Amino acid sequence: MSVRLASFLAVVTALTACQPAPEAPGETETAEPALTIERLHASPSLTGATPRSLTFSPDGSRVTFLRAKDDDASVLDLWAMDIDGGEPYLLVDSQVLAPDERELTEAERQLRERARISSTGIVRYDWDSQGEAILVPLDGDVFHVDVATGQARRLMETPEYETDARISPRGNFVSFVREQNLYVIDLESGEETAITSEGGGLVSFGMAEFVAQEELGRRTGYWWSPDEQYIALARVDESPVDNIQRMEIGADGSARVVDQRYPRAGTDNAIVELFIAERATGTRRQVELAQTDDIYLARVNWASDSATAYVQVLNRMQDQLTILTADPATGEAAPWLVENTDIWINLTNDFRALSDGTVLWTSEDTPGGFRHIQHRAADGSLINQVTSGDWVVGSINSVDMDNSLVYFTGWIETPLERHIYSVPLDGSAAPTRITSGDGRWSARFGRDATRFIGTYSDPQTPPQTALYAVDGSRIRWIEENALVEGHPYAPYLDDHITPQYGTLTAADGTELHYQIFLPADFDPNRQYPAIQYLYGGPHSQQVHRGWQSLRAQMFAQRGYVYFTIDNRGSWNRGREFEGQLRHRMGSVEVEDQLVGLDYLKSLDFVDADRVGIWGWSYGGYMTLMATLQAPDAWAAGVAGAPVTDWTLYDTAYTERYMGHPDANFDGYEQSSVFAHLDSYETPLLLIHGMADDNVIFANSVRLYSELQQQRADFEMMTYPGQRHGVRGEDRSVHLWTMIVNYFNHQLKDEG
């Protein structure tokens, strides 16, 4: 193993070389930190005011965003700021529109769970095309808000719950799903029209099925044409999908059996068909997606002239993506582009149909699998490669057709920093970086691509949002969120610990990035317990130079070294880096985490006998696999909501990375926790929500049973009514008090 040390470690090594041997563990106590677990989860958020869902009004005169209430960080309101000047102002108060928001339906609850929305109040909104009104779904109904007057009109007041409400592209209609059917309201006449009426039971129209929401990043099932003449809509038939009966134990002790159509790996998916409906008549024409119905409907986009719908279709194994062009007048479709890979296809939202009939698109069909921008002709042929190189394009932000420029987010200089760049549409010059700093940026551009809303953070700077010109110069703050007196985090700033960064080398020579938080009042002559945090799975990057979760501060300020390494298989390093776990999850990830552990234990200030490990979801799975494959490596572990057997998880995610169980029996066997359970030795705390509809509770129940059969000693905590995450201030305080106490007991011998 070769190691390239960060500069701070060179200093620590030099200091250690001329100092006495480290003190024995426990000789010096760490002062009780000011940052308590209770304050960490109270309101207002310690991160400060962090506006979300930022966008420009269509006329470019305002910026709108969602902001949490000062006295309750879980409730969101809609705010606005005029571009020409003035302070941000409250545009729509959620509690004025709906003082007593009714209970969510199961469909809406699942939509929010899939989108990881834990807030209440206004959680989404939609501008009309003229910038005169905003659509606000709230309280199960839909409000149409006049921006000039602030007056809100409730478009319906029904006992049913309306979901996925949107304003049509030209602002003449509002569409929504009710009782598994798609409806449209004419805003001028108020007339409501059912586009479909056959939905009900196991059949729905205009909705995304479970795996599309959870694993494909598609949370809608209908798409307006720009001229409002057509609506492309999905028909979903869940009758082939296995019915998984889950026992949900509620917070009040009640129990109910929930029938959930959950397609486990190797079983049948829902049948998804695509139709294009004429809005005026309701006439529907089916688009043939493939020769088989065992496919995934991935994305639908429209040409700017509404003459063509572009339909992205994945095969079941997700190693082939076909983009079809469909004629809305006939439903006839033909292949426009086909991509194949021996790894898997990663979907994006980067398809941009331009006004001249050409298309911008990002693809990983490049050397090394690095995602880059392509400019394609109307017939799908490649005009030119816009970007290239051993780095990753994150997403296309905007296209300036007048100046032939493309703006995008990417990781060019280092995978730890994310910046905004511009590049000529013809690819004739290298990208130009337009943002500054050593952290992470995100951006939302206006329609004319002359300004953007930019949000920046780094390890010492919580998210700051401002309005910027396209050269990167700041025009004005939207939310400076400065760490000054009055900021929620200001009282704790003196104790803030900044992570240090470095790289290690995997067994195959691959460079791996890590970050490390040193304990409060760090003394190189002491030895400290350490905690290794991990996720480890695809589509996740934990090591970066953005603002970090304050959980790291929580542990470091309590005397722990807090360490994270991104193993092979993680995100933003190209598809070949990610694809090394293909068909063998729980293998190379564990190898690389052990590289990190070996390095951690080699540090003089780390007590090698007192290193713990923890993670949630895939990180919970990794905690189990790491401690079982290296039973004497870690002193204790905490596994939250873990997958324990990939045959229990859903088709789209599992088969993308593992293939079909029938074709990879040995891979599934070795990737299961139960194949390694005879090596159980490391003390574990196991945690799961009893209403988890993603990693279903059965994963942990089976593990509890097997460990009990082995007479193994372990601890467990279940959360009634909680799904894949533990929500709410009181439960969060309970959860993290328990985890900290567990590690204190196992690694510090406290309690």
Side-chain angles (χ1 to χ4, degrees), residues 128 135 140-144 153-158 162-178 181-196 222 224 228 231 279-280:
D128 74 355
L135 194 72
D141 290 321
V142 182
F143 295 84
H144 190 258
R153 174 163 61 108
R154 193 165 191 152
L155 296 181
M156 73 283 290
E157 193 163 0
T158 61
E162 284 78 29
T163 61
D164 198 10
R166 278 178 272 154
I167 296 182
S168 61
R170 294 184 176 178
N172 296 309
F173 304 93
V174 167
S175 52
F176 57 89
V177 174
R178 177 197 295 150
N181 284 292
L182 182 63
Y183 290 80
V184 168
I185 290 179
D186 186 315
L187 284 174
E188 183 175 357
S189 67
E191 181 181 0
E192 180 179 288
T193 302
I195 301 298
T196 68
Y222 72 93
W224 281 94
E228 299 181 342
I231 304 175
R279 177 198 50 77

Side-chain angles (χ1 to χ4, degrees), residues 192-426:
E192 180 179 288
T193 302
I195 301 298
T196 68
S197 58
E198 310 96 302
L202 297 176
V203 174
S204 64
F205 287 88
M207 299 176 68
E209 73 277 21
F210 172 85
V211 292
Q213 294 180 42
E214 180 65 36
E215 312 299 359
L216 305 184
R218 176 172 67 80
R219 298 188 178 94
T220 188
Y222 72 93
W223 302 264
W224 281 94
S225 64
D227 64 3
E228 299 181 342
Q229 184 177 348
Y230 300 105
I231 304 175
L233 66 149
R235 178 187 184 273
V236 177
D237 179 0
E238 291 190 300
S239 60
V241 181
D242 284 349
N243 181 34
I244 305 298
Q245 290 191 318
R246 294 187 292 105
M247 177 67 76
E248 282 196 1
I249 309 297
D252 59 357
S254 61
R256 64 178 183 133
V257 176
V258 175
D259 290 318
Q260 180 179 351
R261 295 285 167 163
Y262 187 95
R264 293 170 293 187
T267 67
D268 290 339
N269 276 320
I271 297 173
V272 181
E273 299 169 320
L274 183 69
F275 293 84
I276 297 179
E278 292 185 11
R279 177 198 50 77
T281 66
T283 302
R284 296 200 301 265
R285 298 174 181 87
Q286 185 170 357
V287 177
E288 185 175 342
L289 300 178
Q291 296 299 311
T292 173
D293 58 15
D294 201 10
I295 49 88
Y296 296 105
L297 173 61
R299 301 285 187 272
V300 177
N301 301 91
W302 284 92
S304 58
D305 62 2
S306 301
T308 303
Y310 294 93
V311 184
Q312 298 181 39
V313 180
L314 276 173
N315 67 337
R316 172 75 180 247
M317 290 299 102
Q318 300 174 69
D319 54 10
Q320 182 182 80
L321 176 69
T322 302
I323 303 180
L324 304 171
T325 53
D327 183 342
T330 65
E332 293 181 2
W336 183 80
L337 179 70
V338 178
E339 282 197 359
N340 293 284
T341 176
D342 58 2
I343 301 177
W344 57 73
I345 298 288
N346 287 310
L347 295 171
T348 75
N349 295 310
D350 284 332
F351 192 96
R352 296 290 183 105
L354 305 181
S355 57
D356 63 359
T358 63
V359 169
L360 272 188
W361 163 252
T362 60
S363 172
E364 291 179 322
D365 190 13
T366 63
F370 296 97
R371 180 169 297 282
H372 282 291
I373 303 171
Q374 298 176 345
H375 189 198
R376 291 190 173 271
D379 64 0
S381 60
L382 181 66
I383 298 174
N384 63 273
Q385 193 76 32
V386 180
T387 62
S388 61
D390 293 347
W391 50 271
V392 176
V393 168
S395 61
I396 297 172
N397 295 122
S398 185
V399 183
D400 181 352
M401 293 296 289
D402 292 338
N403 295 296
S404 297
L405 288 173
V406 180
Y407 295 94
F408 68 92
T409 304
W411 293 264
I412 295 183
E413 294 85 359
T414 167
L416 303 189
E417 296 178 16
R418 184 174 62 204
H419 286 276
I420 313 302
Y421 303 85
S422 65
V423 65
L425 180 59
D426 62 6

Side-chain angles (χ1 to χ4, degrees), residues 590 594 611-614 620-639 676 679-684:
V590 173
L594 285 167
V611 180
I613 183 172
W614 89 273
Y621 164 72
M622 281 290 295
T623 297
L624 296 175
M625 291 296 279
T627 55
L628 291 173
Q629 292 183 53
D632 59 348
W634 287 274
V638 174
H676 309 278
S679 299
Y680 179 81
E681 181 179 317
T682 307
L684 288 176

